[in-house]
Amino acid sequence: MMELYLLEQLIAFSRQGTLSGAAEKLHISQPALTKSLARLEQELGVRLFDRSSTPIRLTYAGERYLQGMKNIAAMKYQLDKELEEIADMRKGRLVIGIPDTRSQRWLPHIVPPFLKECPGIDIKVEEISSGALEQSLLRESIDLAIVTTLPMATAGLSYEVLRDEQLMIMASPEHPMFYELDLSHIDYQQRVLHYIHPERLQDQAYISCTPDRGLYRASTQLFERFSIHPHKIMEISNTSTARMFARDGLGFIITPTHSVLAKKMEGARVICCTISDPALFRTLIVAYKEGHTISAAGRRFIDIVKYAAHTVPELQPTTFPIVYDLER
């Protein structure tokens, strides 16, 4: 591409009509200008000036080249301006992925403050499962996956930690795992984790998430840690439905402790348990493709997610204390 100073020289010549006038306008000597433009002709392999006329003038090729370079210069100016706007977060596009199980809880506290700061950024949100989010990051069809969890099943991804989230075992008091235990003293509205021996889950009816869910991986890790093989009676992707099935006694589930506080669980007779002390936690993260350059807008979005994770009351971790009132 022609250097911009050469374009300035051509424009000066076209406006002044003479090499001497152009040289004076550019504050350079006429021989230097003549040599510079001759070198340009040599590089292009085409005559830009008709030297047979007095004064010399641009050839047809010179006129076309000058107009073309003016167009390119205008495009470069517009591109530079657009890139400056993107760098300043005044313009751009950000594609965010979030697990569909978390979007209603998190997005209202994240997207509005971001758009208030960066109104020129076009946001697209993909609400899909954790497994699908990881594949989308690899394909670069999304820029960031927010509020997903460790462990990840996909190589080639990086992440930044948001905070930890407590998990629990939840089941109806009618579940067979409790048959030999005295539950008469249980206050089903008290938010504690009742410790039970890991072997109580052995061969017991279990409602599992589908493998594309982050909770599936956390559950698998727990079972492997304690060498537990529950009797999986079904896999279900909708965690809200899974809680209803557990409430109704179909099987136990593993779920975040905050899920028992959901409106649909008000008044539910369920027992919240743990088989480990301390209780099981998993880590919430923001993920992106390894080596992927995060835009200034993307970095600001991550900062807002982190801030919300630690300050918004509705998003604070729900942690239940462990009690040893069923067995020791």
Side-chain angles (χ1 to χ4, degrees), residues 101 170 209 236-247 253 255 259 262 264-265:
T101 54
M170 190 176 79
C209 293
I236 187 167
S237 61
N238 190 310
T239 55
S240 178
T241 303
R243 289 195 294 271
M244 298 302 103
F245 285 160
R247 178 199 63 187
I253 61 171
T255 184
S259 63
K264 290 183 178 179
M265 294 298 293

Side-chain angles (χ1 to χ4, degrees), residues 170-223:
M170 190 176 79
S172 163
E174 281 73 41
H175 193 287
M177 74 169 75
F178 302 123
Y179 279 179
E180 300 175 0
L181 298 176
D182 179 10
L183 307 181
S184 60
H185 66 285
I186 296 292
D187 178 358
Y188 296 105
Q189 304 310 309
Q190 185 183 17
R191 301 312 178 191
V192 297
L193 296 183
H194 302 274
Y195 175 81
I196 58 173
H197 291 149
E199 57 266 26
R200 288 198 176 274
L201 303 185
Q202 197 71 259
D203 299 320
Q204 294 293 335
Y206 166 57
I207 301 168
S208 171
C209 293
T210 51
D212 61 331
R213 300 290 174 178
L215 197 56
Y216 179 92
R217 301 166 197 167
S219 302
T220 300
Q221 280 191 338
L222 180 67
F223 296 149

Side-chain angles (χ1 to χ4, degrees), residues 40-328:
L40 174 62
E41 285 183 311
Q42 184 178 7
E43 291 176 357
L44 295 175
V46 65
R47 293 179 63 84
L48 301 178
F49 302 93
D50 181 1
R51 293 174 175 82
S52 65
S53 65
T54 304
I56 68 172
R57 59 184 177 83
L58 290 173
T59 63
Y60 176 72
E63 291 175 353
R64 294 298 301 141
Y65 187 73
L66 175 60
Q67 186 57 52
M69 293 310 300
K70 283 182 177 179
N71 293 340
I72 291 175
M75 291 172 60
K76 182 180 184 304
Y77 171 80
Q78 186 61 38
L79 180 60
D80 289 345
K81 183 179 179 181
E82 185 172 343
L83 291 176
E84 181 183 348
E85 290 176 345
I86 291 172
D88 292 340
M89 297 187 293
R90 287 177 283 151
K91 187 176 182 180
R93 185 168 185 263
L94 196 59
V95 185
I96 303 299
I98 185 169
D100 48 10
T101 54
R102 294 185 182 274
S103 59
Q104 289 187 6
R105 187 167 179 242
W106 283 77
L107 290 182
H109 304 289
I110 297 169
V111 173
F114 175 79
L115 290 179
K116 186 175 181 180
E117 282 193 34
C118 310
I121 304 298
D122 177 25
I123 286 189
K124 180 181 179 182
V125 178
E126 296 282 348
E127 300 172 82
I128 49 181
S129 68
S130 295
L133 287 175
E134 293 180 13
Q135 294 304 313
S136 295
L137 286 173
L138 280 186
R139 294 192 303 269
E140 297 189 37
S141 58
I142 63 174
D143 299 305
L144 301 170
I146 61 172
V147 204
T148 186
T149 60
L150 295 179
M152 291 189 290
T154 306
L157 300 180
S158 298
Y159 64 89
E160 296 181 24
V161 171
L162 294 176
R163 62 167 174 78
D164 288 336
E165 177 178 70
Q166 190 181 56
L167 300 178
M168 66 178 181
I169 297 158
M170 190 176 79
S172 163
E174 281 73 41
H175 193 287
M177 74 169 75
F178 302 123
Y179 279 179
E180 300 175 0
L181 298 176
D182 179 10
L183 307 181
S184 60
H185 66 285
I186 296 292
D187 178 358
Y188 296 105
Q189 304 310 309
Q190 185 183 17
R191 301 312 178 191
V192 297
L193 296 183
H194 302 274
Y195 175 81
I196 58 173
H197 291 149
E199 57 266 26
R200 288 198 176 274
L201 303 185
Q202 197 71 259
D203 299 320
Q204 294 293 335
Y206 166 57
I207 301 168
S208 171
C209 293
T210 51
D212 61 331
R213 300 290 174 178
L215 197 56
Y216 179 92
R217 301 166 197 167
S219 302
T220 300
Q221 280 191 338
L222 180 67
F223 296 149
E224 290 176 349
R225 174 183 167 188
F226 289 96
S227 300
I228 297 169
H229 299 88
H231 173 51
K232 182 163 62 177
I233 61 171
M234 72 172 74
E235 286 185 354
I236 187 167
S237 61
N238 190 310
T239 55
S240 178
T241 303
R243 289 195 294 271
M244 298 302 103
F245 285 160
R247 178 199 63 187
D248 296 339
L250 294 184
F252 75 86
I253 61 171
I254 296 177
T255 184
T257 48
H258 69 76
S259 63
V260 77
L261 305 178
K263 189 171 183 179
K264 290 183 178 179
M265 294 298 293
E266 289 181 359
R269 292 180 73 255
V270 294
I271 301 181
C272 304
C273 303
T274 180
I275 58 175
S276 63
D277 188 358
L280 177 66
F281 283 82
R282 63 175 176 176
T283 302
L284 306 184
I285 61 171
V286 175
Y288 43 86
K289 185 176 181 180
E290 193 173 286
H292 177 73
T293 300
I294 302 175
S295 66
R299 172 51 54 193
R300 184 61 191 134
F301 195 90
I302 292 176
D303 290 342
I304 289 175
V305 176
K306 287 182 174 179
Y307 181 77
H310 291 280
T311 61
V312 174
E314 295 88 341
L315 302 181
Q316 295 316 292
T318 303
T319 304
F320 295 168
I322 299 175
V323 296
Y324 285 80
D325 59 340
L326 298 183
E327 58 188 358
R328 293 186 179 276

Side-chain angles (χ1 to χ4, degrees), residues 12-25:
F13 172 77
S14 69
R15 289 176 177 172
Q16 300 300 317
T18 64
L19 287 174
S20 59
E24 183 179 352
K25 184 71 174 177

